Amino acid sequence: MMRAEFKDNYIKMGLKISYYRKIKSLTQAELAEKLNCDVSFIGQIEAPNIYKAISLDTLFRIADALEMPAYKLLIFDD
């Protein structure tokens, strides 16, 4: 269960995933295929009006698919 106090962090992380996915010229469908998950799951993670909790395993898998270190998805510079 996700704690509401981290809502903004999940939103920021989702926006970073979207940003880096686009830099890699991947669609949500292509990223979902790499992760073997449904495209709607990627859409929920990236949506700025939805906060979707994900596991560290999922975060690491996304980072691997985007060919980047996972920590970059957790740096929230304002």
Side-chain angles (χ1 to χ4, degrees), residues 3-44:
R3 295 176 61 156
E5 67 189 276
F6 299 123
K7 172 184 173 183
D8 290 343
N9 289 342
Y10 280 106
I11 291 171
K12 289 175 186 176
M13 182 177 55
L15 293 173
K16 283 194 170 251
I17 290 168
S18 174
Y19 173 78
Y20 286 113
R21 174 182 59 75
K22 290 173 185 174
I23 285 178
K24 291 289 187 177
S25 299
L26 292 172
T27 65
Q28 287 183 345
E30 290 168 332
L31 180 57
E33 185 176 324
K34 286 178 174 270
L35 299 175
N36 195 28
C37 69
D38 196 87
V39 69
S40 66
F41 180 69
I42 302 300
Q44 289 173 2

Side-chain angles (χ1 to χ4, degrees), residues 52-76:
K52 175 76 175 164
I54 63 172
S55 69
L56 280 175
D57 287 349
T58 300
L59 179 70
F60 295 146
R61 290 177 57 225
I62 290 170
D64 284 348
L66 296 175
E67 300 173 335
M68 61 182 297
Y71 78 88
K72 286 191 173 187
L73 299 173
L74 297 172
I75 297 173
F76 306 130

